[in-house]
Amino acid sequence: MRIGLIGTGRIGTFHAEVLGRHPEVGSLVVADTDTERAAAVARSVGATAAPGPHEIFAWGVDAVVICSATASHAELIARAARAGLPTFCEKPIALDLPGTIRALEAVAAAGTQLQLGFMRRFDAGYAAARERLRTGRLGRLHTVRATSSDPAPPPAGYLPLSGGLYRDCLVHDFDIIRWVTGREITEVYATGSDAGPPMFREAGDVATAAAVLTLDDGTLATATATRMNGAGYDVRLELAGELDQIAVGLTDRTPLTSVEPGGPGAPERPWPGFLERFAPAYEAELTAFLRLARGEAPNPCDGREALEALRVAEACERSRAERRAVSLSEIPTLL
């Protein structure tokens, strides 16, 4: 297959490395608005550098992988759809609901495939938790606890472009809670704190957030996130049922120290970031996309899944601003 990759930042470079050595990829073409960076990435992975995204489409490819700046995602998705190309896109489709819906309408009108980059669906731990829950080994699920903690904040210039902590970070938790449990989130109550560096207040964002989620069967879930977890990168999910309780992300690299006598101490090598923690999942999702593009497998995470996770994030932002519980029925969807 001939794959076109747009965007050679940190995640784009990682995807280029995976695709460059993938046995199903015969050739790879990469592009970026930073042409020097694209050329350097192309040299490092044995790909061809294109002058820009336009050439990705003009030169002819079998599928497109979008890893560019968030503001460009919706337009590139629509363009790929019009070209009849299966597309993989890093989340989000857009930072708002109207932009997301317009892009999905373009995909639906073209009848093409769009896979979104919710990599946790391809992580072995989350898959095992889903299987245990679905086979009844936990009994009736009553409580879900999700946490996502970055070891250090992103650059100040990124924050106004990120969509905020709920849309940029917690959206992964909202998606994985839906995927693992098979349940919809019906109501949220969210709050956040901008204590810490002033750049969060200046961007209208929060450094730490928490949300209480009610699922459609009455199960309660909490989701917390922070940009300021100096101990390391910490992403976990706990599922508590009437018969058993399990955890995803609890390993000897989890940046969590017990203060109980004889309890586990600080990890020798805590996870430094998301690429290290989820590297196998990122590779697995691209393999799944190549199978989808060849027509060999169904879509494991289509754009409508991203829309539902974004609707939860939107409800959380409204809840934080208005200091009240928000029903998902208040958040529009036109698909």
Side-chain angles (χ1 to χ4, degrees):
M1 298 180 68
R2 181 173 172 84
I3 306 297
L5 181 143
I6 303 172
T8 55
R10 186 179 181 189
I11 190 62
T13 297
F14 181 89
H15 286 334
E17 292 170 351
V18 172
L19 292 169
R21 64 175 182 267
H22 201 285
E24 299 299 328
V25 177
S27 61
L28 176 66
V29 183
V30 303
D32 196 297
T33 53
D34 185 336
T35 55
E36 292 185 2
R37 185 170 65 185
V41 170
R43 286 193 299 270
S44 69
V45 302
T48 300
H54 172 75
E55 284 75 17
I56 291 287
F57 298 98
W59 290 359
V61 294
D62 299 310
V64 175
V65 174
I66 298 172
C67 313
S68 53
T70 294
S72 67
H73 287 185
E75 179 184 353
L76 290 171
I77 288 170
R79 186 170 184 181
R82 291 193 297 270
L85 295 172
T87 302
F88 174 92
C89 184
E90 279 299 329
K91 66 86 190 164
I93 294 174
L95 289 179
D96 59 17
L97 285 170
T100 299
I101 291 168
R102 285 194 297 272
L104 293 180
E105 288 174 341
V107 172
T112 53
Q113 294 281 2
L114 170 65
Q115 179 182 328
L116 261 290
F118 282 116
M119 77 292 185
R120 296 186 194 181
R121 293 182 177 217
F122 299 88
D123 177 76
Y126 286 105
R130 186 176 192 255
E131 189 273 337
R132 288 200 182 196
L133 176 61
R134 301 294 182 88
T135 55
R137 295 171 66 178
L138 302 187
R140 185 187 68 84
L141 183 68
H142 54 76
T143 306
V144 179
R145 293 177 286 268
T147 186
S148 291
S149 301
D150 289 330
Y158 173 79
L159 293 177
L161 308 175
S162 71
L165 192 57
Y166 295 103
R167 299 185 189 96
D168 181 50
C169 180
L170 276 165
V171 71
H172 280 289
D173 296 281
F174 303 149
D175 176 73
I176 206 63
I177 287 172
R178 294 179 62 248
W179 185 75
V180 168
T181 66
R183 295 293 180 177
E184 295 297 335
I185 297 166
T186 59
E187 185 179 80
V188 309
Y189 186 88
T191 188
S193 171
D194 61 7
M199 64 181 181
F200 293 101
R201 293 184 290 279
E202 293 166 359
D205 196 7
V206 293
T208 304
V212 177
L213 317 172
T214 301
L215 308 190
D216 59 12
D217 65 345
T219 299
L220 296 180
T222 59
T224 62
T226 185
R227 303 283 198 188
M228 310 290 294
N229 196 57
Y233 182 74
D234 185 14
V235 170
R236 284 175 284 124
L237 181 73
E238 299 173 9
L239 302 174
E242 292 181 344
L243 299 180
D244 200 1
Q245 181 173 235
I246 58 175
V248 179
L250 186 59
T251 71
D252 60 1
R253 300 194 67 178
T254 303
L256 188 66
T257 302
S258 173
V259 294
E260 296 292 338
E268 292 184 8
R269 295 189 309 123
W271 293 112
F274 65 93
L275 278 180
E276 295 82 4
R277 166 66 177 85
F278 288 109
Y282 279 117
E283 295 196 32
E285 73 177 355
L286 286 179
T287 294
F289 172 64
L290 295 176
R291 294 189 65 208
L292 171 68
R294 293 196 304 268
E296 297 176 357
N299 195 332
C301 186
D302 70 21
R304 288 167 295 185
E305 299 293 303
L307 174 62
E308 291 308 312
L310 178 60
R311 290 181 67 236
V312 178
E314 293 286 335
C316 286
E317 284 287 11
R318 183 175 298 185
S319 176
R320 178 175 73 93
E322 299 179 6
R323 295 183 176 272
R324 66 177 179 89
V326 173
S327 169
L328 265 291
S329 63
E330 299 179 45
I331 308 300
T333 178
L334 300 179
L335 294 179

